[in-house]
Amino acid sequence: MYVSQMTTKLRNDNPNRHHNQINAVRKISQMWNAMPQKERVHYKQLAKDATREYEDRLIEYRATGSWTAYTTFERLTRNRNGVEVADRGPGNQGPWVRLPSEEKNDLECELDTYEQVIFPPRPKEMEEEHERKVRESKAKRRRKIEEEGFRWE
């Protein structure tokens, strides 16, 4: 949950910068490791509460075929850029935040003020460049394995 919230914050704070999730996760990991234990408790408890509520809703769904709305957390879904949520992957539907609002931490309150929390997909020309780099990286790895030989250790 922290990663999705911080990814949203980073993308909101840097709207004209190319988003690279690998670099974002590295930065977010550094921020998490530097975060005081007291602040981490919020996210650890949110994860426990959300898991418990999800499991309860899953049992309810299996028994009845429907379930009631979550009361511990919600997904922010503000989308003012015209991107259809259905066009996004399952990991880009907006960040989860704590409910009720008086239990939200500072970051969750900040996310509530954003006009946009679901971001458009990578432009086609950037996607092609990304795929080219992936192909080059795989070819480089293949050459290295062939040159050095693959060894199980």
Side-chain angles (χ1 to χ4, degrees):
M1 293 191 176
Y2 178 72
V3 171
S4 72
Q5 291 179 9
M6 284 306 300
T7 298
T8 301
K9 178 175 175 41
L10 290 172
R11 291 192 79 175
N12 185 76
D13 292 352
N14 302 287
N16 297 322
R17 188 173 183 181
H18 168 67
H19 177 73
N20 179 316
Q21 188 64 22
I22 294 170
N23 291 338
V25 169
R26 283 185 187 134
K27 183 173 182 155
I28 293 167
S29 294
Q30 292 169 349
M31 295 165 74
W32 175 262
N33 291 331
M35 182 187 297
Q37 189 64 29
K38 183 179 175 184
E39 291 180 34
R40 289 186 194 186
V41 169
H42 173 82
Y43 290 100
K44 290 178 179 181
Q45 191 60 49
L46 176 58
K48 286 179 185 176
D49 294 346
T51 300
R52 188 177 316 113
E53 186 167 8
Y54 170 78
E55 289 169 351
D56 291 346
R57 295 299 181 271
L58 186 57
I59 291 169
E60 178 184 349
Y61 179 77
R62 287 179 177 163
T64 66
S66 64
W67 66 14
T68 54
Y70 290 113
T71 59
T72 304
F73 58 96
E74 70 176 338
R75 188 182 289 275
L76 296 179
T77 58
R78 280 186 297 288
N79 180 26
R80 298 200 173 102
N81 62 8
V83 174
E84 292 296 322
V85 174
D87 293 340
R88 304 302 302 164
N92 191 4
Q93 304 294 324
W96 291 99
V97 295
R98 167 75 75 179
L99 284 176
S101 57
E102 55 272 1
E103 292 186 24
K104 292 180 180 180
N105 67 4
D106 291 343
L107 176 58
E108 291 169 319
C109 290
E110 180 181 337
L111 294 175
D112 270 343
T113 67
Y114 293 173
E115 289 194 16
Q116 184 68 40
V117 296
I118 298 176
F119 298 92
R122 191 178 355 226
K124 184 82 169 152
E125 59 276 3
M126 290 178 86
E127 190 65 35
E128 290 167 358
E129 175 67 12
H130 171 74
E131 292 300 323
R132 184 189 62 75
K133 287 180 180 180
V134 167
R135 283 191 306 276
E136 287 176 1
S137 177
K138 286 181 180 179
K140 184 178 176 182
R141 263 186 269 141
R142 248 185 263 113
R143 283 192 306 273
K144 186 174 181 178
I145 288 171
E146 289 170 0
E147 289 170 4
E148 296 179 8
F150 184 74
R151 295 182 292 270
W152 290 95
E153 296 185 31

